[in-house]
Amino acid sequence: MTARVWTVEESLEVPLPPHAVYAALADVRRMREWSPEVIWVWPRGRRFVGVNRKAGWVWFGTCRIVVADPGREFAFDNITFGLPVARWGYRLTPTERGTLVTEYWTDLRRHGWRRRIAEVLGLVFTGTPPARRADHNRTGMRETLRRLRAACGPAA
């Protein structure tokens, strides 16, 4: 049995400067343009509700922006029914041709009875067992970054 993976990172270079990439990421309504699961976002200040879909599963998460450092990093925590689920974020590093965007995910379901409830809810809502969540998210992150790069390309 392999050990549970609690954090995943993927990176890809985007042909825009960090402040422009940050502006795209910080407009959370645009997340549905590049995320393979997000279908709708309702922003409410530093919080937003995201609705996601994967095959026959549809679920929502309440998110709170926890890092908003223009041109450097944008991150939010996903909370479902008051239970911490995950932190999603983007670190931006300037390069000669644009920005290296590193998307990261950290599973926040780590301790006690709250973890067990969050794990069951995660399986029921998304259909992804805890042991496969990191691999599933890594695949989605790669697609997200490819779509982000396309949206931020010369024609954007």
Side-chain angles (χ1 to χ4, degrees):
M1 183 176 184
T2 59
R4 173 101 175 253
V5 177
W6 296 96
T7 225
V8 174
E9 288 188 0
E10 287 291 323
S11 297
L12 191 65
E13 190 172 41
V14 171
L16 285 178
H19 70 276
V21 177
Y22 179 89
L25 292 168
D27 182 356
V28 296
R29 295 168 298 180
R30 294 191 66 193
M31 186 57 72
R32 68 186 195 176
E33 291 178 41
W34 36 79
S35 170
E37 290 184 350
V38 175
I39 59 173
W40 185 74
V41 176
W42 182 39
R44 303 286 297 163
R46 289 188 65 83
R47 295 182 182 275
F48 61 94
V49 176
V51 179
N52 303 306
R53 178 183 58 218
K54 181 184 84 172
W57 286 274
V58 176
W59 70 97
F60 72 93
T62 302
C63 300
R64 180 174 47 93
I65 297 169
V66 295
V67 180
D69 188 358
R72 299 184 72 194
E73 186 174 3
F74 180 77
F76 56 90
D77 285 353
N78 180 314
I79 302 153
T80 299
F81 299 114
L83 301 168
V85 175
R87 176 165 292 174
W88 289 89
Y90 301 86
R91 286 189 300 276
L92 310 175
T93 306
T95 66
E96 287 183 18
R97 295 182 307 268
T99 303
L100 182 67
V101 180
T102 300
E103 182 175 11
Y104 62 91
W105 164 84
T106 302
D107 196 329
L108 300 177
R109 296 166 277 209
R110 297 208 179 203
H111 304 290
W113 64 270
R114 292 170 64 94
R115 171 188 172 181
R116 289 188 291 279
I117 291 172
E119 293 283 347
V120 169
L121 289 173
L123 179 59
V124 168
F125 290 142
T126 71
T128 304
R132 293 202 328 244
R133 190 166 288 118
D135 286 338
H136 172 77
N137 287 347
R138 182 179 302 282
T139 300
M141 291 161 80
R142 289 175 179 160
E143 181 64 22
T144 295
L145 291 170
R146 283 191 295 270
R147 290 179 182 182
L148 175 66
R149 180 174 59 193
C152 292

